[in-house]
Amino acid sequence: MTSLSLAEAVRQVTAGNPVFETAEAEIRGVTYRAFCNTPPHIRALMQASRAAQADGTAEYLVFQDERWSYDEFCNDSNRLAQALQDRFGIAKGDRVGIAMRNCPELLLLITAIASVGGVAVFLNAWWTTEELDYALEDTGLKLVFADGKRVQRLRPLAAGRHLTLIGIRDGEPIGDKVFSEILAGISEADWPQVGINTDDDFAIMYSSGTTSHPKGVVQTHRGAINAVFTWLMQAALTPVLDPPEDPDAPAPRPVGLVATPLFHVTATHPIFLLSLPAGAKLVVMNRWDAETAVRLIRDEKVTRFLGVPTQSADLSEAASRLNEPLETLDFLGAGGAKRPAAQVEELSRRFPGANIATGWGMTETNANGIGMVGQEYLARPGAAGRLYPPVQELRFLGDDGGDVAPGEIGEITVKSPCNMRCYLNKPEATAEAMQDGWLRTGDLGWIDPEGYVTIVDRKKNIVIRGGENIACLDVEGALHRHPAVAEACAFALPDARLGEVVGAAVQIRPGRAVTEEALLAFLGEHIAHFKIPERIWTQPDPLPRGATDKIDRRALRAACLPEWPGVRAPA
């Protein structure tokens, strides 16, 4: 390690590479510090990244037995962009839905929609028809690209919403139109010529919150680009802060495994979008399977793995079972949920050549935020890391909205050009979360004298199950639809593998009877499977309440925990 401070290293890297220079920028009436020499939008990012991808000749994308060079990927993106314009009349600002599991078409849609100035709307592939209907109403979508299972879920909604469904892969036989036929008449296409402002909308991604419905997070081109170059800068800072033993040794080409769903920001931003200027190759998994991941890492020489902590544990166990050392891995990161501290040392022993890393970010921040890697993480396995420089600012606020003293617990509040533009159609929620450019995250934490942040709790009533954010009120709302349920309360239960799972308690109406099994079956018709509680406690009496006559969630959870497997009752 050098004796340079982080601030000194930032100055050194910025002086040596003008792409990392920053300047003040006024965005929607607020002054931020932002990168000033980066590509202004996603289409320009793709064009500028060609040099990093061996002038377009490098193998860029691998999916099962299909492969694309970078130029081939860009050409297919441009073919799709032309079809969006010519066949469907997609113009600047128009929204296009994406509903599918991971596949190459999903990546092509992200770039093609962005290239024509459209706005990609990511629909969670696990949502039920009922949940999809809410998002369609919220966004006004009329065009959705979907795979087979998603076409089936969307079909009951299509006629009433005048929705056109474009079938992808197994969805082609049942879609209104066939994806492969749309592109069949276009062999090559130039880059679209639509003018795009850096502060135009780029995407809408849904994030669970404290309301019964998810919130549509509106991201801009500038927000996504500033996040990407923030991560690029961290890679440039690493050899300055921790010089390698042989600085002249050539580094292997980065190869990233896409193991998490691409309708989540963890996969789209720090894996896919970052891969473009980083000159990285992508290997895409359709769905998570640990043994398949081990074989792909081995065969494709994957260097970078980023997933929820559960996947890191699964990967470690599968690699041990298959006796595969996975020596090409040099980065093993976690996002979406906090990794158990005990797992950090275990992963370091299992993969000695990999830097174990953690990161904290939000859909609302384009995944930018806090993180650390290597020895600093091993020394502080319970912390979240330090704020990524250079465009972010950080505060910790008390309940009165004022700053708390360093070392005291406060609400983590961040300001950067990466922050969302707004919550779609929710001005009150936007005003509550965004104040003078500062985003109140709802997470509670504290910062030590060296700048390392530890997250201790969440103000929001959210369960994080293996990286999936689940609003308690979403689960409660579904439970309340059952005629036998008088009141319901959902809460987090600890889980050794997933970190947290959903638990719930309900009061049964007088004169009614319902089993836990019947409630679980009922929920399966209304909410996605990952939101369904692992255990439902039923009782005839009202649920406990606090001084304000609201259900006392913490007291209820504490009362249920002794009956949860593996949890010891308090003395």
Side-chain angles (χ1 to χ4, degrees), residues 162-511:
H162 306 289
L163 188 67
T164 299
L165 299 174
I166 312 300
I168 298 281
R169 295 194 175 246
D170 63 345
E172 289 199 347
I174 56 176
D176 299 320
K177 297 183 184 297
V178 176
F179 181 84
S180 57
E181 291 180 358
I182 290 171
L183 298 185
I186 308 172
S187 58
E188 291 188 7
D190 294 329
W191 293 97
Q193 299 300 308
V194 179
I196 302 172
N197 187 285
T198 191
D199 291 312
D200 285 344
D201 293 347
F202 153 61
I204 298 171
M205 304 185 92
Y206 277 86
S207 174
S208 292
T210 53
T211 60
S212 59
H213 289 298
K215 297 192 288 266
V217 177
V218 181
Q219 303 167 340
T220 66
H221 287 265
R222 189 200 296 265
I225 297 289
N226 271 258
V228 166
F229 279 85
T230 293
W231 299 315
L232 277 179
M233 186 166 186
Q234 307 323 299
L237 285 169
T238 298
V240 175
L241 291 167
D242 187 12
E245 294 182 4
D246 183 2
D248 297 323
R253 184 189 180 199
V255 181
L257 183 68
V258 182
T260 58
L262 281 159
F263 51 78
H264 281 325
V265 71
T266 301
T268 53
H269 290 52
I271 301 179
F272 171 45
L273 293 179
L274 177 59
S275 75
L276 302 170
K281 167 182 160 182
L282 287 184
V283 181
V284 176
M285 296 185 70
N286 179 250
R287 65 184 67 204
W288 174 247
D289 178 81
E291 293 194 358
T292 300
V294 168
R295 296 186 184 99
L296 287 172
I297 292 170
R298 178 197 65 199
D299 296 344
E300 300 295 340
K301 297 180 171 51
V302 170
T303 66
R304 180 180 175 85
F305 179 90
L306 177 59
V308 296
T310 302
Q311 292 174 312
S312 297
D314 290 349
L315 184 72
S316 179
E317 292 174 6
S320 178
R321 192 164 56 246
L322 298 174
N323 195 28
E324 291 289 352
L326 303 185
E327 293 174 333
T328 61
L329 275 181
D330 62 23
F331 180 92
L332 191 61
K338 184 178 180 179
R339 176 184 276 136
Q343 192 186 95
V344 180
E345 182 63 35
E346 291 174 12
L347 291 172
S348 182
R349 288 196 302 268
R350 183 67 189 81
F351 303 110
N355 282 307
I356 313 303
T358 187
W360 170 93
M362 304 174 69
T363 308
E364 288 88 339
T365 67
N366 277 274
N368 198 10
I370 295 165
M372 57 183 170
V373 63
Q375 289 301 317
E376 61 176 348
Y377 187 22
L378 290 171
R380 306 166 184 83
R386 289 197 285 189
L387 189 74
Y388 292 137
V391 299
Q392 298 187 101
E393 300 175 62
L394 177 65
R395 299 169 67 190
F396 293 81
L397 302 183
D399 290 336
D400 61 358
D403 293 276
V404 302
E408 293 186 6
I409 294 174
E411 183 177 4
I412 297 172
T413 307
V414 292
K415 179 181 179 182
S416 88
C418 304
N419 287 354
M420 67 174 182
R421 180 172 70 78
C422 67
Y423 287 123
L424 183 67
N425 301 325
K426 290 181 168 54
E428 292 182 1
T430 301
E432 182 180 352
M434 294 282 292
Q435 297 162 12
D436 297 323
W438 291 92
L439 173 70
R440 302 193 66 155
T441 68
D443 288 317
L444 299 174
W446 58 277
I447 189 168
D448 71 13
E450 295 179 281
Y452 289 94
V453 175
T454 297
I455 298 173
V456 297
D457 202 351
R458 293 188 302 279
K459 293 181 72 173
K460 304 173 183 177
N461 294 323
I462 285 182
V463 178
I464 301 182
R465 179 190 182 277
E468 281 288 337
N469 286 358
I470 303 168
C472 288
L473 287 182
D474 201 1
V475 179
E476 292 161 8
L479 281 167
H480 277 112
R481 298 182 65 168
H482 194 285
V485 173
E487 58 182 12
C489 179
F491 43 83
L493 293 171
D495 184 85
R497 180 172 180 271
L498 296 170
E500 292 178 345
V501 293
V502 180
V506 301
Q507 179 196 6
I508 304 302
R509 295 183 185 279

